[in-house]
Amino acid sequence: MQSQNSTNIGLDNSAAPRLWVTRHADYLYKYALTRINDQEQARDLVQETFLAGLERLQKFEGKSTERTWLTAILKNKIIDVYRKKASAFVKEPGATIAEQETDDFFEPDAHNWKPNHRPAEFGIEQTDQLESKEFELILQKCLRKLPSLWLSVFTMKHLDDEPTDTICNDLRISPSNFWVIIHRAKLSLRECLQKNWI
Amino acid sequence: MDELTKIAYNCKKATYLIEKQDIGEITLREKLELKIHLAGCRVCRVFQLQSAAINRMIRNMLHRPVDENIKLDDKFKNQLQHLIDEQLDK
C-alpha cells in the first residue's frame, strides 16, 4: 500500500482512507450484518459508508477514532434502511397477516388466551437453559419470521439499547405504535418458540 | 363488570403490560392491574417468565463477540480498495 501512514496504524488521528479497507472493512461488515441480516445489503452499506466518508473527509477532525467516525456514518445508513422498512410496512402483506395472527391468540370478546395458544412451560424459564445452542438456532429462525419493521424495532432496542424516544423518532412511529409492535413481536416469537421446541 | 374485574380476565392487556414494564415504564394504576391479573392467571405468569428469558437470550446472542469468521471476501475488498483509490486520485 502506498500510504505514508502505513507505519503507525491506528496511532494517528488523521484519516487514512487508503487503509480503510484493510483496517475497517471486516469490522463494519460485521456491524452491519448483525443489524441487518442480509449479506448483500450489508456489503452495499459498507461501500456506501466508505464513499460517504470520502466525501466528508474534511469534516473528520480526529476527535474520535477513524473507526468510531465511520461506524457513526454506517449506523445512520442502517437507520435509513430501518426507516424505509417502517414506511413500507403498511403496504407489506405479511404485516397484516402477522397482526391478525397475534390477535388470534386471544378470545375476541374477553381477551383471554385461546386454549391452543396458551403459553406452556418449555424449559427456557431457567437461566441455565439459555446456553443451549439448539434453542438459539430455533430463536434465530423465529426472529427471521418476524415482519421486518418488528425486527428493526426489536434489534434497535435490544442491540443498541436505544431509548424508546430515539427509536420512535428514527423510525417515525408513535410511542403507542412502538409498544404495540414490541408486544406483538414478543407474542409471535414466543408462540414460534413453543411450536418448534416442544 | 368493573374495570378491575375486567383486567383480571384480560390476558391480552396483561401481556402488553408485561412487555411495557420489562423494557419501559408503566403507571402505578397499570402496575396494580397487572398485579391483580397475575395473581389469578398462571398462564400469564408463565408468559412473563418466558418473555424475560427471551429478552435475556436475545441480548446474549446480539452482544456476543461477533464470529471472527465473518469476513468480506477478498474480491469485494479489492473492488472497494479500487473504488477508494479512484476517488482519491480524481
Side-chain angles (χ1 to χ4, degrees), chain A residues 17-34:
Chain A
R18 281 188 209 274
L19 293 175
W20 281 354
V21 175
T22 327
R23 284 181 181 173
H24 310 300
D26 285 329
Y27 173 83
L28 293 174
Y29 178 63
K30 276 186 254 181
Y31 186 95
L33 202 58
T34 33

Side-chain angles (χ1 to χ4, degrees), chain A residues 18 21 26 30 43 103 111-113 119-120 122 124-125 135-136 154 158-159 179 183 186 190, chain B residues 10-12 15-16 19 43-44 50-51 53 55 57-59 61 63-64 72-73 77 81 85 89:
Chain A
R18 281 188 209 274
V21 175
D26 285 329
K30 276 186 254 181
R43 278 170 161 220
D103 276 343
H111 299 307
N112 52 348
W113 294 96
F122 51 107
I124 61 152
E125 295 82 2
F135 197 86
E136 212 177 279
F154 227 70
H158 289 285
L159 182 59
W179 289 112
H183 180 215
K186 183 61 71 60
R190 202 217 61 81
Chain B
N10 192 337
C11 297
K12 193 172 171 182
T15 51
Y16 173 84
E19 290 312 309
V43 181
C44 285
Q50 291 175 347
S51 167
N55 284 352
M57 211 172 342
I58 285 178
R59 267 157 204 258
M61 212 166 76
H63 288 279
R64 188 179 309 135
L72 278 168
D73 62 273
K77 278 190 200 166
Q81 187 66 53
D85 291 340
D89 297 337

Side-chain angles (χ1 to χ4, degrees), chain A residues 81-93:
Chain A
V81 173
Y82 285 162
R83 190 179 294 144
K84 273 185 204 128
K85 284 180 182 169
S87 54
F89 182 69
V90 207
K91 296 158 213 152
E92 201 179 307

Side-chain angles (χ1 to χ4, degrees), chain A residues 39-55:
Chain A
Q39 298 186 1
E40 190 83 23
Q41 199 167 27
R43 278 170 161 220
D44 289 349
L45 288 171
V46 174
Q47 177 166 328
E48 283 173 34
T49 301
F50 284 152
L51 289 176
L54 288 175
E55 273 172 28

Side-chain angles (χ1 to χ4, degrees), chain A residues 5-17:
Chain A
N5 287 324
S6 53
T7 43
N8 49 353
I9 285 185
L11 290 177
D12 64 311
N13 51 4
S14 60

